[in-house]
Structures are given as structure tokens and as C-alpha cells.
Amino acid sequence: MTLIEGAPSRVALFGLPGAGKSTTVSLLTPELEAAGLRVSVVKLAQPLYDVQHAFYERLGESLTLGQQDGALLNFLGSHFRRISPDFLVADFARRCESAARSGADVLLCDDARPVDLGPLAASGFRLVKVSAPDALRRSRKAQRGDQSAGRDDHPTELGGESVVPDFELVNEGSLAELSRQVVALGEVLTVRWRHPEARSSGGAA
């Protein structure tokens, strides 16, 4: 995968809900920052989160920090894509460019969906698959305290198993084990940032 020299490195995480995408980004961000890189986390589904917030606000209700209404987000995602199929990716691209102009060295996306991976890869994102044993993943998902759970078989969640990622993290153990994998990923990303000639050498760590 070839990135434009001087442009931010771009990394998109994908995997089923509960696999540990957001946890991975929360671990990866300080690793990259400790290496002197400026990191910006850009969420592809931010428009859905904005509408979710407005929906609850209009009802006089609220979600706690980090809490989601998965069923509502499934509904919104389906209809955003039905009405304007390219909107989410185009809006995401605009926000990525804004982050780049603000000086970000690395752009991280922790909510990529399989349906969007083709366009993301084409725009220079390295794809990181985060997986976990199904029973463990479902247990983690249930413990998040969301208002409702999104469907694992929702159309936007399907197809990830056929994607060949640039890197893969298997989140099947402790937080310390995931952190070890994240440190290794951070080292690879940092080397490729420091040595631009390595950016064109794709492949998993």
C-alpha cells in the first residue's frame, strides 16, 4: 500500500462488536504519542452518533459517556446508506483531511465496517482486524452497558471474514496480552512513519 509522503499514516480497525476495537485504539494512541507522533481519532460513523445524540436529547433523555443504542445505530446506518450510499465515507474523508491540515501524523478509525473497507483501503488506510472468540466477544459486548445491542448479523457487519487485513490482533486473553500486541503494532507503524520508503511495503506484522 502506498501512502503520499508527508501525508498522515492512516489506520482503520474493523471487527465485530465487542472484539475490542475501541480498547485497541485507546492503547495504541498513547504508544504512538510517546513516539512523538500526533494522533487524531476520526470516527467514520460520527454522523450516526450525532443523530443518536440529537434523538435522545429531543426525548429529554441521555446516554452515559461511551454508551450506545446499537439498535438505533443499525437503523440509522441502514437508512443513511439507502438515501445517500456514499455520504458516510465522503464525510469521513472530509474530516480526515481536516485532521491532516491540523497537523495529525496518524489518523486512527476505530469503527470501520466491512462495507467501507474497500474505499478506505483505496484512500490509503491500512486495515487492522481485531477479533476475539465469539463467546468472549459476546460477553464483553453484553457488559458494555449499551442502551440496546446492535445486531451481529446486521448487513453493515457482514463480510469482514473475507477481507485480508494488513495486520490482525487476536483479543482472546487479558488486557496485558492485547497491550503487548498493540505495542508491536505501534512499533511497526512508527518505523513506517520514520522511514517513508517502508510505507509502500504492505503486509501484516
Side-chain angles (χ1 to χ4, degrees), residues 14 44 47 76 82 118 130 147 164 166:
F14 71 99
L44 191 147
L76 292 173
R82 176 183 63 81
V130 183
Q147 182 70 21
V164 178
D166 297 290

Side-chain angles (χ1 to χ4, degrees), residues 93-115:
R94 286 191 291 270
R95 288 182 285 113
C96 285
E97 291 309 311
S98 176
R101 287 195 298 271
S102 297
D105 297 316
V106 181
L107 304 179
L108 298 179
C109 171
D110 65 356
D111 63 350
R113 293 298 185 264
V115 68

Side-chain angles (χ1 to χ4, degrees), residues 31-38 105 193-194:
E31 286 292 325
L32 297 174
E33 290 176 338
L37 300 178
R38 292 163 293 185
D105 297 316
W193 172 256
R194 298 299 183 199

Side-chain angles (χ1 to χ4, degrees), residues 16-17 70-71 73-79 81-82 112-117 150-162:
L16 286 171
L73 292 174
N74 282 168
F75 174 86
L76 292 173
S78 292
H79 288 286
R81 295 176 192 279
R82 176 183 63 81
R113 293 298 185 264
V115 68
D116 302 312
L117 296 179
R151 288 168 42 202
D152 291 345
D153 63 349
H154 190 267
T156 57
E157 303 290 357
L158 301 179
E161 66 281 352
S162 65

Side-chain angles (χ1 to χ4, degrees), residues 116-184:
D116 302 312
L117 296 179
L120 292 183
S123 64
F125 275 84
R126 295 190 182 95
L127 306 180
V128 178
K129 181 177 181 178
V130 183
S131 63
D134 200 53
L136 178 59
R137 180 187 64 77
R138 290 178 183 274
S139 174
R140 289 172 177 158
K141 180 181 173 183
Q143 293 171 17
R144 294 195 309 203
D146 286 342
Q147 182 70 21
S148 70
R151 288 168 42 202
D152 291 345
D153 63 349
H154 190 267
T156 57
E157 303 290 357
L158 301 179
E161 66 281 352
S162 65
V163 175
V164 178
D166 297 290
F167 307 94
E168 182 167 5
L169 307 182
V170 181
N171 185 17
E172 61 183 355
S174 65
L175 186 62
E177 170 56 24
L178 177 61
S179 181
R180 184 192 66 78
Q181 296 180 69
V182 168
V183 168

